[in-house]
């Protein structure tokens, strides 16, 4: 995928490459695409004198910030789920290990009793 990045000419191609690499979901990609297209339109409007309206700037930055916050929330939720699964798996492993160790211990005790019984009877 890094080889693809060298051939990317514009932001649209970069965004498409990220979606193809599963770095960004398609719904988030469409939000970012809309943001980028809005930025490109504003860049062409910059040739005209005058500052952009404050509301336009806020809505663009809010949109991208919301998208990034949404991505962070999804990542945090996935991390929490993975940690819970890992903790559960560790607990299950420890329980199985203890069970097997106990089983071996009691089997060795039974073996020693059987050996003593055979030694006394012979």
């Amino acid at each position: 995928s890094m080889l693809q990045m060298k051939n990317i000419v514009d932001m649209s191609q970069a965004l498409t490459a990220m979606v193809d690499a599963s770095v960004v979901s398609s719904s988030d990609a469409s939000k970012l695409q809309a943001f980028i297209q809005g930025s490109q339109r504003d860049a062409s409007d910059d040739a005209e004198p005058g500052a952009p309206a404050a509301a336009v700037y806020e809505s663009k930055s809010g949109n991208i910030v919301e998208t990034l916050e949404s991505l962070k929330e999804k990542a945090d939720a996935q991390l929490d789920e993975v940690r819970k699964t890992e903790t559960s798996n560790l607990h299950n492993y420890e329980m199985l290990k203890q069970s097997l160790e106990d089983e071996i211990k009691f089997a060795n005790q039974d073996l020693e009793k059987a050996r003593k019984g055979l030694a006394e009877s012979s």
Side-chain angles (χ1 to χ4, degrees):
S1 78
M2 291 307 283
L3 294 174
Q4 293 174 343
M5 296 302 275
K6 292 179 182 178
N7 297 329
I8 292 176
V9 177
D10 64 8
M11 291 297 283
S12 297
Q13 289 176 335
L15 190 57
T16 302
M18 289 173 60
V19 171
D20 291 343
S22 298
V23 174
V24 178
S25 70
S26 59
S27 65
D28 292 332
S30 63
K31 291 177 186 176
L32 290 171
Q33 184 71 28
F35 173 75
I36 291 168
Q37 288 174 348
S39 297
Q40 290 171 346
R41 271 187 260 134
D42 289 343
S44 65
D45 292 344
D46 285 344
E48 299 174 16
V56 172
Y57 178 76
E58 289 174 18
S59 68
K60 288 191 300 186
S61 65
N63 202 7
I64 191 72
V65 170
E66 289 172 8
T67 301
L68 293 174
E69 286 174 350
S70 172
L71 288 171
K72 183 183 181 309
E73 288 172 7
K74 288 177 187 177
D76 287 341
Q78 288 175 348
L79 179 61
D80 288 341
E81 187 175 325
V82 168
R83 284 183 176 162
K84 287 178 187 176
T85 302
E86 183 178 1
T87 301
S88 176
N89 289 343
L90 178 63
H91 176 72
N92 291 339
Y93 166 78
E94 292 294 335
M95 295 295 292
L96 178 61
K97 179 182 172 188
Q98 184 64 45
S99 172
L100 292 173
E101 287 173 349
D102 290 344
E103 192 175 324
I104 291 169
K105 181 177 110 178
F106 292 123
N108 285 335
Q109 288 174 355
D110 291 343
L111 181 61
E112 283 301 314
K113 286 180 187 176
R115 285 184 181 161
K116 284 182 184 178
L118 284 174
E120 289 175 3
S121 65
S122 26

